[in-house]
Amino acid sequence: MSTTASAPTPSTTAPSVAATSTAKGTASLVLGICSVFAGWTFFAPAIGLILGIVSLRGEPRARTQAGWGIALNAIAMSIWIIVTILALTFGWIAATSSMFGQ
């Protein structure tokens, strides 16, 4: 009987980098926080929203981060849309009002 020990073989089913990575979910969360609290414009929330959606599909470990990122980016994006609509509305009212010199 032989008692030789064999060296452990490397596993061929090692998890892939995409399955263990949380980079997109983290980036979405960071962009969402910065967009809401620092007042970043329309482009940062749009990129964060896209990264969050992609992260939900491809990074199962980053679901919570991606979810919060999507929520914060959607809030920031809606705030900028509302501010833009209000600015355009009040600008149009000021331009057409007879109170301002016409």
Side-chain angles (χ1 to χ4, degrees):
M1 212 177 217
S2 175
T3 58
T4 59
S6 63
T9 59
S11 175
T12 58
T13 60
S16 66
V17 174
T20 60
S21 174
T22 60
K24 292 175 192 161
T26 303
S28 175
L29 180 63
V30 168
L31 284 172
I33 291 170
C34 292
S35 296
V36 170
F37 294 114
W40 285 4
T41 60
F42 183 77
F43 298 109
I47 293 170
L49 195 61
I50 292 168
L51 284 174
I53 292 169
V54 170
S55 176
L56 279 179
R57 294 182 182 172
E59 298 174 345
R61 294 182 65 194
R63 292 208 125 164
T64 304
Q65 294 170 343
W68 277 103
I70 290 171
L72 290 173
N73 284 306
I75 290 169
M77 199 179 252
S78 63
I79 288 171
W80 278 106
I81 290 171
I82 291 170
V83 166
T84 302
I85 290 171
L86 288 174
L88 290 173
T89 302
F90 286 123
W92 178 76
I93 290 171
T96 59
S97 177
S98 62
M99 186 172 101
F100 294 106
Q102 279 190 339

